[in-house]
Amino acid sequence: MASLLNAINVKRKMLFEFEGAPYVCLDSDISTPTARGGQTLVRLKMRNLLNNAVFDKTFKAEDRFPEPDVVFVPASYLYSDADGSHFLDQESFETHTLTEAMLGDALDWLIEGTMLQIRKYNGNPIGLQLPQFVELDVKYTEPAVKGDSSSGSVTKDATLETGRVVRVPLFIKEGEKIKLTTETGEFAGRV
């Protein structure tokens, strides 16, 4: 039997099962009552891992959730076509195809050969766990002009090899490889 998790112990990025579906906690807020006899409540901002719906729900502190049968399998990105995006499972060497709905904006960070993890629920692929950082080439960016920083703007737009547009410091040039965080899309440094 899977272990149960109390609502008060659910923290950011933890997985739990609610109403027969796997969820990930995006944020947790505990409110303790000021009056005697009041119940401690836990407000969870949570994402359904099957359909990516995000919503807030309030639970009693003692509400319990089973741990979902979610496993993370190492994989590499192969390619995308009309059928979906294809990934090679690094353990079984099977090819898994994920739909656009399962991926969200993940393709903005993926180039051929990118290592990541496929999220499987009850043995079936349901989504991806991207690496924390990715390294991508800058395909296009305006050259920095002397005096640009005087306007207070110290960043500019850069188009990456995947087509995603991000904000980068003025000193970044076309053709450079940069490191970005996949969670926020922020510039994390040069490579």
Side-chain angles (χ1 to χ4, degrees), residues 109 133 164 166-167 179-189:
W109 308 114
F133 297 101
R164 173 93 180 220
V166 295
R167 301 292 293 171
K179 185 176 182 179
L180 300 142
T181 61
T182 56
E183 192 172 334
T184 62
E186 293 177 3
F187 175 81

Side-chain angles (χ1 to χ4, degrees), residues 33 59 68 103 171 173 175 180:
F59 300 95
L103 297 174
F171 57 82
K173 300 177 183 75
L180 300 142

Side-chain angles (χ1 to χ4, degrees), residues 160-175:
L160 304 174
E161 62 186 300
T162 61
R164 173 93 180 220
V165 176
V166 295
R167 301 292 293 171
V168 298
L170 291 176
F171 57 82
I172 298 297
K173 300 177 183 75
E174 277 183 32

